[in-house]
Amino acid sequence: MKDVVAAYVGLTKPRVIELLLLTTVPVMFFAARGVPPLGLVVATVIGGALSAGSASAYNCVYDRDIDEQMRRTRRRALPRHIVTPRAALVFATVLAVLSTVILYVWVNPLSAALSLGANAFYVLIYTIVLKRRTTQNIVWGGLAGCFPALIGWTAVTGELAWTPVVLFLVVFFWTPPHTWALAMRYRDDYAAVDVPMLPVVASGHAVSKQIIFYSYAMVATSLALWPVAGTGWFFPTAAVVLGALFLVEAHLMERRAARSDSLTEIRPMRLFHWSNLYLSLLFVAVALDPLFA
């Protein structure tokens, strides 16, 4: 029973859920210019977690054939046959329904619609249409991971505005460097299953140049929040420091990639881990900024 429960939890990809919630809750604090109602935060977190878990479970069902062949994913529940595809599909659907109901009833219809739309986009557009067909899969498919910023804002305000759109774009530009760094580490796995992630079809140096482009766009967009949202001094200061450190790491990786295409030399996981820390700290700064106003 313990293994089965762990398998179902694994279908939801908890680490992905953590990252998505980290771009939801701070935006709620920023929208409220302080501490939002606890019940609202709890309902949004539960609804958002169930929605993200549902999308991940659907992804696991569809990708079970390639997951079985990749080192990074072969220990998942479906490749190990701990959970059947039918059971996983039912599980994903139940999570989707529960998340929509929770957000609709205890948050608001707009947040529920955005969450359901993000789920559908990730499954239908990224997983089914883009992932196995184009090197730009994660660029456009990554849009689904940007929705939590919108959901966090609408949960508090009940409407959209330019502020969450800027944060949406920050996550959009952050996604390619984050994902391509990981894909570079596992490019042999992706190549073996014919998934055309950019590091599979391009050299490490070429991928690094693309990462630098998106990194500059990400940092510039983060700084746009200052005039758009009228933040205090704390957020732009944090954005400048974190952005500078991220750009330094991106340039260092590009230099290493220019010397050698060996993964041992390029060390892409350095940037991957730093990208997680960057996004986490940036959104924490979003939440804390009103306290320093």
Side-chain angles (χ1 to χ4, degrees):
M1 179 60 68
K2 182 180 178 181
D3 289 341
V4 172
V5 171
Y8 276 101
V9 171
L11 287 175
T12 67
K13 301 180 184 178
R15 289 185 179 179
V16 174
I17 293 177
E18 290 174 9
L19 198 60
L20 293 176
L21 293 180
L22 194 59
T23 58
T24 303
V25 177
V27 178
M28 297 182 71
F29 277 74
F30 188 76
R33 294 290 174 171
V35 181
L38 179 59
L40 182 64
V41 174
V42 171
T44 305
V45 165
I46 293 175
L50 292 176
S51 180
S54 167
S56 294
Y58 279 126
N59 173 267
C60 286
V61 172
Y62 189 81
D63 279 348
R64 63 188 185 277
D65 58 329
I66 60 176
D67 283 350
E68 194 165 357
Q69 302 175 57
M70 296 175 64
R71 288 174 299 167
R72 186 173 65 89
T73 57
R74 65 177 53 161
R75 299 296 296 172
R76 289 177 177 171
L78 287 168
R80 293 172 63 197
H81 306 288
I82 298 175
V83 178
T84 67
R86 179 182 177 83
L89 191 61
V90 171
F91 176 65
T93 303
V94 169
L95 292 185
V97 172
L98 284 176
S99 68
T100 304
V101 170
I102 290 171
L103 291 172
Y104 187 91
V105 174
W106 284 287
V107 183
N108 58 57
L110 179 55
S111 296
L114 288 170
S115 179
L116 187 60
N119 189 332
F121 190 93
Y122 181 78
V123 176
L124 300 176
I125 304 302
Y126 170 67
T127 301
I128 296 178
V129 176
L130 296 175
K131 183 174 181 178
R132 307 192 193 198
R133 290 179 171 85
T134 172
T135 58
Q136 297 300 299
N137 48 19
I138 198 59
V139 175
W140 302 109
L143 282 169
C146 306
F147 275 77
L150 302 181
I151 295 167
W153 181 271
T154 58
V156 173
T157 67
E159 60 184 13
L160 289 169
W162 283 113
T163 295
V165 170
V166 172
L167 293 170
F168 177 100
L169 291 174
V170 169
V171 181
F172 174 76
F173 290 121
W174 168 88
T175 301
H178 170 77
T179 309
W180 284 337
L182 181 65
M184 194 180 296
R185 166 66 178 83
Y186 292 100
R187 63 186 179 188
D188 290 342
D189 273 2
Y190 285 111
V193 294
D194 295 323
V195 174
M197 299 295 286
L198 185 63
V200 173
V201 301
S203 67
H205 191 211
V207 175
S208 298
K209 288 183 176 180
Q210 286 291 306
I211 285 175
I212 287 175
F213 170 79
Y214 280 97
S215 298
Y216 273 100
M218 174 191 71
V219 174
T221 304
S222 72
L223 292 174
L225 188 68
W226 182 15
V228 170
T231 69
W233 62 268
F234 183 76
F235 175 79
T237 302
V240 167
V241 173
L242 293 171
L245 292 172
F246 193 102
L247 292 174
V248 167
E249 183 59 40
H251 277 286
L252 288 174
M253 190 177 82
E254 188 271 336
R255 290 180 184 178
R256 294 193 296 267
R259 295 194 299 265
S260 171
D261 202 45
S262 166
L263 291 178
T264 304
E265 176 68 23
I266 297 173
R267 289 177 285 173
M269 295 303 287
R270 282 176 53 110
L271 184 70
F272 173 78
H273 292 306
W274 173 241
S275 69
N276 285 328
L277 185 60
Y278 168 84
L279 196 70
S280 301
L281 293 178
L282 186 74
F283 273 80
V284 168
V286 169
L288 294 179
D289 183 80
L291 302 179
F292 294 92

